[in-house]
Amino acid sequence: MARTLFEKIWDAHLVDKAADGAATLYVDRHLVHEVTSPQAFEGLRIAGRSVRRPDATLAVADHNVPTTARAEGIRDPESRLQVETLEANCAEFGVPYFAMDDVRQGIVHIVGPEQGMTQPGMTIVCGDSHTSTHGAFGALAFGIGTSEVEHVLATQTMVQRRPKSMRVTIDGALHPGVAAKDVILAVIGAIGTAGGTGHVIEYAGSVIRGLSMEERMTVCNMSIEAGARAGLIAPDAVTFDYLRGRPLAPGEADFDRAVELWRALPSDPGAAYDREVKLDAAAIAPLVTWGTSPEDVVAIDGVVPDPADARDAGKRAAMERSLAYMDLVPGTLMTEVAVDRVFIGSCTNGRIGDLRAAAAIARGRKVAAGVSAMVVPGSGLVKRQAEEEGLDQVFLDAGFEWREPGCSMCLAMNADRLEPGERCASTSNRNFEGRQGRGGRTHLMGPAMAAAAAITGRLADVRDFNE
Amino acid sequence: MESFTTLTGVAAPLPMVNVDTDMIIPKQYLKTIRRTGLGQYLFDELRRTPDGERIADFVLNRAPWDQAKILIAGANFGCGSSREHAPWALNDFGIRCIIAPGFADIFYNNCFQNGMLPIVLPQADIDTLLAAASGCGNHTFTVDLDSRTIAHPGGEIAFDIDPERRRRLLEGLDNIGLTLEKAAAINDFESRQRSAAPWLYA
Ligand code: SF4
């Protein structure tokens, strides 16, 4: 029978299936970070259990780490305790760990792929919702809670009910100036933040085929913002080329055998999905969000929408609340909205390709007066690569800050955060109330768009910069 | 794990859609290395001003809802971050049952891991329960997992739940312990995988 990519991975990892349909799935790789793991290790300790497969586990601190003055360590005592707790737990349970001064340290979802740990056909979990990022390699990657982290540490399995499948096909050609971030924002705008609930989304179509590995990660990363359990993209030559030679990828002796297995993964012709959505690439413009939900998207040359046009009372109330929080007036041109801060980074857009796209806009220009803009590479290796290419100098010359790697102002657990009322053009993935700091206002967009906003001091159309 | 059989207590109405886990428990409280003590920070930015003053008209700051054990909420409750601190904070506050038209998947699953019961009902039933939980008078509900019913001052509503999840909650079963009973099947899987793709093993 014709099977989807999702079904093939699912079937290949079934350890046990209960009569009622609950499946015990084997977990190939487990990524761990400091925020969602302390209580899990504590649970193991109390029950006298060990980590079943330290060799399939990798830990890194990312959420709490400072992005300046690394050598001084972590000032905030609670943040420091959390990172130290992770270090101690990794030492006690034998889990490999990238320390803060290791060049391989970075955001967990950037580190895994970069090391070649993320491979096609795998099941991957992490106590973090953006684990969906790893689906870009054709791996089934779920974000899980801390109790499940403990369960995976102890058993290397997870108990799951089989999600439904959805295919989102994006065919056609993207217009110049339209980035991977716009593609995924368009998908979320189309199906809504609960549109993917209970589903695994497979992204398909000529647009997806044409994306680089990094761009595919941007797309899969925000599957969770569409409510999906996971995102998936069929592996192909782009995937295999990316993986070859990475430290944790199959070595030269095994690589061709691995590729042979990976080639059998893509969905069979005629495989059925529970739901199909199609988007026309030509209809996607550079997008920004106007509200406090990632589904609140609008073309950069559009206007702040009017709650009076909402489809029902619930939606209208939500829009009114968002607009009040965002301090925006319906009908205002998006390009008239002035920003105070710009954040370029996160597991959505903190890879080298993202920094190149932003630097292309920043090169030879200056950050607008009164705007504070920062670039936070997603990992130490991304940072080093950017510096080798001179991108750090491009940013510094333009007046951007150049920081150490970490989650930073994506969620503002460290010192990088918005002040109440500040408005930020951000390449991260969530514009929730208070996400980047209490009272802070977030507009999501791609990296080139964020750089353009830094230069103009307002939300800006990147197409105006391509002279 | 604590079992869940019946729960009787005040139900609080929170008819907002897309309540995300950042809202349920803001990130500054994720620095804890414990599961307990988060109840005081539940919905922090809705409950307190930046200066720490209580916002009097937020429902969980008002009697009798400040004693709520049940929350009636809007669609897509618990979306966003996977943080289990969200159900921990609700649990620590005393809320062990959330009733909504729909939940985000990870949050929904996290509830069961903590002996908490998330109930999905059609919007019409939610509207009935919101009305019963608002206004003046009696706001005491009884949620009975065994009979799958919610008794409220105006009547009774039945709900559906996955039978296995229900069994585990009623008996308060330890999920890890149950899986470890399958050690033989896990060992078998590993030896099969190791011979097919040895590079997956260090
Ligand atoms: S960069 Fe943001 S979304 Fe990604 S893991 Fe860090 S906090 Fe989460």
Side-chain angles (χ1 to χ4, degrees), chain A residues 159-396:
Chain A
V159 179
Q160 279 273 304
R161 248 137 263 273
R162 191 161 116 162
K164 296 201 188 95
S165 62
M166 181 191 301
R167 179 165 59 185
V168 175
T169 307
I170 308 146
D171 277 320
L174 295 175
H175 291 296
V178 177
K181 184 67 161 281
D182 301 309
V183 172
I184 188 59
L185 285 174
V187 171
I188 298 163
I191 69 174
T193 46
T197 302
H199 291 75
V200 169
I201 299 181
E202 180 177 340
Y203 302 94
S206 59
V207 166
I208 301 297
R209 297 261 66 82
L211 297 179
S212 70
M213 241 12 264
E214 299 199 333
E215 292 169 320
R216 293 177 188 186
M217 286 189 252
T218 299
V219 170
C220 285
N221 173 272
M222 289 188 72
S223 302
I224 185 72
E225 270 66 53
R229 288 295 283 124
L232 275 175
I233 292 176
D236 59 12
V238 175
T239 322
F240 311 147
D241 289 347
Y242 178 96
L243 280 170
R244 193 182 284 274
R246 297 199 178 251
L248 299 178
E252 268 313 308
D254 296 314
F255 201 82
D256 292 342
R257 258 173 81 204
V259 168
E260 216 175 292
L261 296 180
W262 297 342
R263 278 194 205 286
L265 288 167
S267 299
D268 301 325
Y273 296 81
D274 295 303
R275 205 179 147 199
E276 295 260 17
V277 173
K278 287 192 190 327
L279 259 67
D280 175 10
I284 304 175
L287 298 171
V288 292
T289 60
W290 56 265
T292 55
S293 168
E295 70 188 17
D296 297 340
V297 296
V298 61
I300 183 64
D301 52 7
V303 298
V304 177
D306 191 338
D309 302 331
R311 59 175 188 273
D312 58 56
K315 183 70 193 162
R316 188 176 317 128
M319 281 178 80
E320 280 166 357
R321 184 184 164 89
S322 287
L323 290 179
Y325 182 85
M326 294 298 290
D327 191 28
L328 290 173
V329 177
T332 310
L333 279 172
M334 291 313 295
T335 48
E336 277 173 10
V337 175
V339 300
D340 308 295
R341 309 279 294 269
V342 173
F343 171 65
I344 297 174
S346 86
C347 59
T348 314
N349 284 123
R351 286 169 285 268
I352 188 69
D354 302 312
L355 303 193
R356 287 182 190 136
I361 298 295
R363 192 179 298 276
R365 296 190 171 99
K366 290 281 178 215
V367 171
V371 173
S372 134
M374 63 200 266
V375 183
V376 184
S379 73
L381 289 170
V382 169
K383 179 167 187 267
R384 190 168 76 184
Q385 171 79 25
E387 288 172 353
E388 279 168 16
E389 296 178 19
L391 303 184
D392 57 330
Q393 213 46 54
V394 172
F395 287 120
L396 289 167

Side-chain angles (χ1 to χ4, degrees), chain B:
Chain B
M1 196 181 68
E2 201 179 342
S3 65
F4 188 112
T5 48
T6 64
L7 177 68
T8 298
V10 169
L14 188 71
M16 280 164 65
V17 297
N18 294 334
V19 169
D20 56 72
T21 53
D22 277 81
M23 209 181 266
I24 298 172
I25 183 85
K27 66 246 157 197
Q28 60 269 34
Y29 306 113
L30 307 187
K31 294 180 183 179
T32 176
I33 55 172
R34 317 243 160 267
R35 281 171 207 255
T36 49
L38 289 169
Q40 54 186 314
Y41 308 121
L42 176 70
F43 290 115
D44 194 53
E45 295 181 5
L46 297 173
R47 270 165 83 197
R48 265 176 290 268
T49 66
D51 309 327
E53 258 173 74
R54 283 162 63 89
I55 299 172
D57 63 352
F58 181 63
V59 63
L60 297 183
N61 281 343
R62 285 152 59 200
W65 300 289
D66 55 354
Q67 302 298 319
K69 292 186 178 172
I70 298 161
L71 192 68
I72 320 292
N76 200 26
F77 188 86
C79 62
S81 154
S82 63
R83 59 188 71 164
E84 201 162 315
H85 309 68
W88 293 339
L90 285 158
N91 202 3
D92 198 60
F93 182 90
I95 294 174
R96 293 191 61 216
C97 175
I98 303 116
I99 309 174
F103 294 89
D105 293 324
I106 303 178
F107 176 86
Y108 185 75
N109 199 38
N110 282 343
C111 285
F112 288 102
Q113 304 281 353
N114 291 280
M116 297 163 64
L117 175 62
I119 298 176
V120 180
L121 285 176
Q123 188 65 49
D125 287 339
I126 296 292
D127 291 341
T128 304
L129 295 181
L130 280 172
S134 315
C136 36
N138 178 10
H139 307 96
T140 303
F141 289 26
T142 294
V143 176
D144 186 331
L145 179 57
D146 194 34
S147 66
R148 283 165 295 169
T149 52
I150 303 161
H152 62 92
E156 193 174 275
I157 288 178
F159 64 89
D160 267 337
I161 178 166
D162 176 271
E164 175 63 14
R165 290 201 192 266
R166 173 165 162 272
R167 184 180 76 91
R168 289 191 179 205
L169 267 190
L170 284 171
E171 298 178 22
L173 296 175
D174 166 22
N175 290 322
I176 296 179
L178 289 176
T179 300
L180 286 174
E181 288 172 14
K182 296 177 185 148
I186 301 173
N187 290 336
D188 281 355
F189 180 94
E190 284 178 345
S191 49
R192 265 182 284 129
Q193 191 186 50
R194 192 191 275 268
S195 54
W199 57 86
L200 293 176
Y201 291 76

Side-chain angles (χ1 to χ4, degrees), chain A residues 11 139 164 174 200 243 255 352 401 408 416-417 458 464:
Chain A
D11 293 350
K164 296 201 188 95
L174 295 175
V200 169
L243 280 170
F255 201 82
I352 188 69
E401 291 180 55
S408 180
D416 310 335
R417 66 174 71 107
R458 283 171 283 114
D464 297 339

